[in-house]
Amino acid sequence: MAGMSGMAVSNDIQSTFNDMKINKAKPPVSYLQLYIVDNKEVRIEKRIAKDDPEASFDKLRESLPPDDCRYVIFDFPYETADGQANSKLVFIAWSPDVAKIKSKMIYA
């Protein structure tokens, strides 16, 4: 499926994202790290399960390339004021200062 930009998103991303939204992903997914292939398609680079040692936000940050752009869909866990466990899906556009300008433009 291609959006208004003409960039296609793989069906795997769409189905995994929808499963993450309703907490039905098997196994439960902590985050998806996405990259663009040939300026045409967004694909999954990493799929990290919630029970994986790499599932923390700090590990996610360490795994991002220091000189290239990426997208991330992160299932952010938090606790409400009354103590209930909850989570929100957060979209992250990773674009470090040292990334090439062309890469930044493609990911923008």
Side-chain angles (χ1 to χ4, degrees), residues 5-93:
S5 68
M7 189 74 62
V9 176
S10 73
N11 290 334
D12 190 30
I13 292 172
Q14 292 177 9
S15 64
T16 303
F17 175 73
N18 287 331
D19 289 346
M20 287 173 77
K21 281 195 310 189
I22 57 175
N23 292 320
K24 288 198 174 187
K26 300 292 182 216
V29 176
S30 178
Y31 68 85
L32 297 176
Q33 189 168 314
L34 312 172
Y35 70 109
I36 296 175
V37 179
D38 299 328
N39 302 336
K40 296 178 189 173
E41 183 181 15
V42 181
R43 292 189 190 161
I44 296 175
E45 182 174 39
K46 283 186 183 178
R47 179 191 325 249
I48 302 296
K50 287 188 178 185
D51 61 355
D52 190 303
E54 298 289 310
S56 73
F57 186 75
D58 289 333
K59 294 288 186 179
L60 161 63
R61 211 174 55 222
E62 291 171 10
S63 75
L64 292 168
D67 58 354
D68 202 5
C69 302
R70 290 293 185 273
Y71 296 130
V72 177
I73 301 171
F74 183 72
D75 192 0
F76 178 72
Y78 66 96
E79 195 172 286
T80 61
D82 60 353
Q84 291 184 340
N86 209 342
S87 68
K88 293 277 186 185
L89 290 180
V90 179
F91 181 81
I92 301 167

